[in-house]
Amino acid sequence: ALSATTFSVAGAAYQAYLVQAKKWGEAELHSASRGSFAGIIVLSGLSATIIITSAAVLAPKGIKVANAVDMAAQLEPLLGSFARALFLCGLFV
């Protein structure tokens, strides 16, 4: 949850800087709103995918998520022992 919140704030700040760099005004408001909406949909979809796959993989195994390594277990059916390294690298990139 902390990572998702941090990514959301970083994405919003990045978008604000992009708008300033492009020197958009009120005339481009519709285009900017459409881009914001698309970004929100993508971020929500990614968050939902992570939550659903975590529940589907971890709950039947009785795994309680206490840290990032526990969360990485959701990728083990697909990636095996490489799952932890990939998940943790993804958090820090």
Side-chain angles (χ1 to χ4, degrees):
L2 179 62
S3 296
T5 303
T6 303
F7 295 147
S8 298
V9 172
Y14 180 67
Q15 183 172 4
Y17 284 116
L18 285 177
V19 168
Q20 285 180 341
K22 291 181 179 183
K23 298 184 184 342
W24 281 359
E26 287 186 39
E28 293 83 18
L29 183 61
H30 180 47
S31 177
S33 295
R34 197 173 44 221
S36 295
F37 184 71
I40 291 167
I41 295 296
V42 168
L43 186 59
S44 298
L46 289 172
S47 297
T49 301
I50 291 169
I51 292 167
I52 291 167
T53 57
S54 296
V57 173
L58 302 178
K61 294 181 179 179
I63 298 173
K64 302 261 188 215
V65 178
N67 55 44
V69 174
D70 293 341
M71 184 64 92
Q74 70 175 314
L75 298 173
E76 287 180 356
L78 177 66
L79 301 172
S81 61
F82 184 64
R84 289 181 181 172
L86 181 66
F87 191 84
L88 295 174
C89 285
L91 286 176
F92 294 106
V93 172

